[in-house]
Amino acid sequence: MKGISGKNVLVTGATSGIGQSIAVRFAQEGANVAINYRKSPEDAEDTEKLIYKACTDARCGCEGREILVQADVSKESDIVEMFAEVKKEFGGLDILINNAGIQIPGEAHKIPFEEFEKVIDVNLKGAYLCAREAIKMFLDKGNGGSIINVSSVHQIIPRPQYISYSVSKGGMQNLTRTLALEYARRGIRVNAIAPGATITPINDAWTDDPDKKANVESHIPMGRAGTSEEMAAVTAFLCSDEAAYITGQTLYIDGGLTLYPDFLEPWSGQG
């Protein structure tokens, strides 16, 4: 896609799932990719291997390079150090992908506050702090930049027993819109993707069970779950020059899940 080759990209939570696929896709597009991991560099080895394999198999002549950067995005000090490392290695940043996220289920009236706070700290506070540091770097460089927040269909669809996750993603929607408006005239675009049901490790509870998977997919108008590669493709598009006039938007990649699928068949009594 136009305008990605040679750009410096940071992907948080890039060790598996959607974040991993995004890192691979940007490498295929010729970008320099900073792969964020939380604990150990070994956590990011699979991502590095996938990048090498994808670029080799496609013979795409990938000319970018990859670095591994550690940070627990719930901690401000880690985030500041991570961005300093990216600046040291790449000289600056052009694109931030706020992908790191967690979910902790439980009935809303029983969830310990510490667990609620942990989800908010990673999913929302971490996204803001990373965006803050990225914007500083964009402004210092003076060439604008792009931020993609990986949200969820649950920013608008309530998800019982996942109150902290739903709240964090609802906040991410407003984070996206507010930052987009505030920095639009300074060449910084901020958008979000909102995946629906996606086959990733975080969803092993239903993707690995044929009956549960069939039940999930029965609620999706297109009749199937999405893939992390599909999420990565849309992310790359939104960061490319092809999407240069798009900001403040959330693009739902959900197979129609947000189309009120219960209305596939009329049930209002209109016959």
Side-chain angles (χ1 to χ4, degrees), residues 197 203-220 225:
N203 291 321
D204 282 349
W206 61 267
T207 58
D208 290 344
D209 184 313
D211 291 335
K212 290 181 179 179
K213 185 171 183 286
N215 181 51
V216 169
E217 293 181 332
S218 71
H219 296 283
I220 303 170

Side-chain angles (χ1 to χ4, degrees), residues 98-167:
N98 268 324
N99 170 75
I102 61 172
Q103 55 186 12
I104 302 176
E107 294 180 85
H109 69 289
K110 294 181 179 179
I111 295 174
F113 177 69
E114 293 77 13
E115 292 187 359
F116 180 92
E117 189 174 39
K118 182 178 181 180
V119 175
I120 299 298
D121 284 350
V122 173
N123 296 7
L124 185 56
K125 188 179 80 175
Y128 160 67
L129 290 171
C130 286
R132 184 191 72 183
E133 296 305 304
I135 289 169
K136 289 178 183 178
M137 293 177 70
F138 295 161
L139 294 176
D140 285 345
K141 195 173 181 180
N143 295 328
S146 179
I147 297 173
I148 300 295
N149 294 319
V150 179
S151 187
S152 165
V153 292
H154 295 295
Q155 72 175 33
I156 61 169
I157 298 176
R159 191 181 186 191
Q161 299 193 20
Y162 286 85
I163 183 69
S164 53
Y165 184 81
S166 295
V167 168

